[in-house]
Amino acid sequence: MAAPPNRRKFLGRLSLPERTFVADALRAETVGGVLLLIAAIAALIMANTPLSDFYRDVRDFSFGPESLHLNLSVSGWAQDGLLTIFFFVAGIELKRELVAGELRDPKAAALPVVAAVCGMVVPALFYFAVNSGGGGDLGGWAVPTATDIAFALAVLAVIGTSLPSALRAFLLTLAVVDDLFAILIIAVFFTSHINLPALGGSFVGLALFWLLHRKGVRGWYIYVPLALVIWALMHASGVHATVAGVAMGLMLRCTVRDGEKHSPAEHIEHLVRPLSAGLAVPLFALFAAGVTVTGEALGDVFTKPEPLGVVLGLVAGKTVGVFGGSWLAARFTKAELNEDLAWADVFAVASLAGIGFTVSLLIGELAFPDNPVLVGEVKAAVLIGSLIAAVLATVLLKMRDVQYKKLCDDEERDEDHDGIPDIYELDDPGYHLRMAAIFEEKAAEHRRLAEVAAGRRAEGTSPA
């Protein structure tokens, strides 16, 4: 049954342009997720084999100008430098969602925003519940709040689930909002001191960046040096340097002007995304995921309150938070679930949100800067929690795989071979009129040819 006119469709079919964008974006994210998975496995292998000493020496090797507060270890450069590229792309994605995506309509944005917020609050509550009763360190409350979209989509690619575009778009929007709140958490809760002159200089650089972009000034040789200065000043200010990446991404224009084939944001994202997904994030994972795995270490994950809170937060907290937030938002707004889907599908996607990696590992290092042993335990908890969430999501999604394949086949079917899926044409009010006009034109052509043939036959039988 179709939804009443006064109710909106939750997880309904996307528009064709939005569906095309989501497919392209997720294809790139999936490739990045596979590379991320390979890097994480390589890090674990090197950290738990005779290569461990070499791995730690490389990871802890420091270089860079001390006078600019940039004498960082290799892992520090990966964390503060390379991840800025990742958050720059996240900023562009968020800007696009706000301008042309799911977040442009406040009513439509309510569902993924509420789901994302609940998906961050509930895991933090799980962590608090475990650690307040067990005497643990409450400083790691933010570790299980983040979703790693690349890793989640890599899981989808590996298990081969034909997830409908609406569910994929929901997961992508959820992760974009999640990234925004994660960077706010990092900026607000993990900034111990602020160098006001450096922060002010960074803001001046951002203002210049915005002004040049607004005036239409082009040239990488202008923006790349300016971006490096903004990043260095943000790093020196005490605010985490990745904030600069998000800020610059949000400043890019996502609308297309006359004479433009693509907006500047789309063009720059096309250039930078491969660098982010193919180099920056995998290298960060290579130097962040290398934890020592022993029987005792695995036991600590499930017995010590801090890592246990992270595992429960990712596996149970994320699932309950995202699903509960989605249900409550739909229950108290004019939104009705797509009749082709069930709430079990939302629950399965919510379990995918429990795959936290990149940002969770980053927050884990920021939360316990003076306790490397606890940092290692929390990292192990992030890996184990993400693995459990991935297995749970795989089981849940496979249970509905037949239904997903049917929906995807309906979305992809193009019997008239015009490059536009038939299901979108059937929903187009002008489609039937266009088809009727085509048929009428063909019928008129047949009548004309018949009249010509009849005339020629008449001429052939007439007297010479």
Side-chain angles (χ1 to χ4, degrees):
M1 181 186 301
N6 63 332
R7 293 180 69 82
R8 291 179 294 104
K9 187 66 66 66
F10 173 41
L11 297 179
R13 190 168 60 249
L14 303 178
S15 66
L16 185 58
E18 184 71 9
R19 176 179 174 273
T20 302
F21 170 81
V22 168
D24 292 342
L26 297 189
R27 192 177 298 113
E29 292 284 5
T30 300
V31 173
V34 173
L35 294 175
L36 181 62
L37 183 61
I38 293 172
I41 293 173
L44 288 171
I45 291 174
M46 286 191 288
N48 292 276
T49 62
L51 292 171
S52 59
D53 290 338
F54 170 76
Y55 173 76
R56 293 188 182 91
D57 288 344
V58 173
R59 182 187 63 188
D60 298 334
F61 177 76
S62 298
F63 64 96
E66 180 65 44
S67 58
L68 298 177
H69 305 280
L70 292 177
N71 185 29
L72 307 176
S73 64
V74 170
S75 63
W77 278 105
Q79 177 191 118
D80 294 348
L82 293 178
L83 275 193
T84 302
I85 302 173
F86 165 78
F87 278 107
F88 175 68
V89 174
I92 297 175
E93 290 176 340
L94 178 61
K95 179 66 173 290
R96 188 203 165 274
E97 289 291 327
L98 290 169
V99 172
E102 287 290 310
L103 303 181
R104 70 186 184 280
D105 178 6
K107 293 181 180 179
L111 280 159
V113 170
V114 170
V117 171
C118 292
M120 301 186 83
V121 172
V122 176
L125 293 177
F126 268 78
Y127 184 91
F128 273 119
V130 173
N131 284 270
S132 59
D137 190 332
L138 297 178
W141 63 271
V143 176
T145 61
T147 294
D148 195 303
I149 183 62
F151 231 140
L153 293 170
V155 170
L156 287 180
V158 171
I159 65 177
T161 301
S162 301
L163 205 63
S165 58
L167 283 172
R168 290 177 178 267
F170 177 69
L171 181 61
L172 178 61
T173 304
L174 189 76
V176 169
V177 178
D178 193 290
D179 285 341
L180 171 64
F181 285 111
I183 200 66
L184 290 176
I185 287 173
I186 291 172
V188 174
F189 295 99
F190 295 100
T191 299
S192 57
H193 67 280
I194 293 182
N195 183 328
L196 290 178
L199 184 62
S202 182
F203 284 160
V204 170
L206 287 170
L208 180 59
F209 184 97
W210 175 82
L211 182 63
L212 291 173
H213 184 63
R214 182 178 177 82
K215 295 295 185 182
V217 176
R218 299 189 178 187
W220 64 267
Y221 45 85
I222 296 175
Y223 289 101
V224 171
L226 179 59
L228 290 174
V229 171
I230 293 170
W231 172 83
L233 288 170
M234 187 69 74
H235 184 275
S237 73
V239 178
H240 201 271
T242 52
V243 175
V246 174
M248 286 184 282
L250 285 170
M251 289 180 177
L252 297 181
R253 175 168 55 83
C254 291
T255 54
V256 179
R257 293 177 179 172
D258 292 340
E260 291 181 338
K261 187 175 181 181
H262 302 289
S263 68
E266 185 180 359
H267 175 68
I268 293 172
E269 182 185 11
H270 178 73
L271 295 175
V272 178
R273 185 183 286 276
L275 180 62
S276 171
L279 181 67
V281 176
L283 279 179
F284 168 77
L286 183 65
F287 295 111
V291 296
T292 303
V293 179
T294 62
E296 182 180 357
L298 292 176
D300 289 342
V301 169
F302 296 100
T303 56
K304 288 190 175 182
E306 295 89 353
L308 179 60
V310 170
V311 172
L312 290 177
L314 287 172
V315 177
K318 270 290 185 182
T319 304
V320 172
V322 172
F323 176 79
S326 301
W327 186 86
L328 288 172
R331 174 68 178 79
F332 293 103
T333 62
K334 293 181 178 180
E336 186 172 90
L337 183 65
N338 183 355
E339 63 271 10
D340 292 326
L341 299 173
W343 282 107
D345 301 304
V346 183
F347 189 85
V349 173
S351 65
L352 267 174
I355 301 176
F357 191 80
T358 305
V359 181
S360 291
L361 292 176
L362 171 61
I363 295 177
E365 294 190 355
L366 298 176
F368 310 107
D370 301 322
N371 194 337
V373 174
L374 187 54
V375 168
E377 293 171 348
V378 166
K379 285 184 177 182
V382 170
L383 297 177
I384 292 173
S386 298
L387 178 61
I388 295 173
V391 172
L392 175 63
T394 299
V395 173
L396 294 174
L397 291 169
K398 279 296 183 183
M399 292 172 65
R400 295 273 291 169
D401 199 38
V402 174
Q403 176 69 7
Y404 295 151
K405 286 181 178 179
K406 178 181 179 300
L407 292 175
C408 283
D409 289 343
D410 290 341
E411 288 184 0
E412 297 292 339
R413 188 175 295 111
D414 182 18
E415 294 182 352
D416 55 2
H417 304 291
D418 63 351
I420 301 175
D422 297 337
I423 199 167
Y424 288 94
E425 294 180 317
L426 292 172
D427 287 347
D428 181 2
Y431 172 71
H432 300 289
L433 295 176
R434 292 196 301 272
M435 292 303 295
I438 292 172
F439 288 139
E440 177 60 31
E441 182 180 344
K442 289 183 177 180
E445 179 66 15
H446 284 304
R447 288 195 298 269
R448 187 185 69 79
L449 292 175
E451 291 172 357
V452 170
R456 287 177 177 172
R457 285 196 301 270
E459 290 176 357
T461 57
S462 61

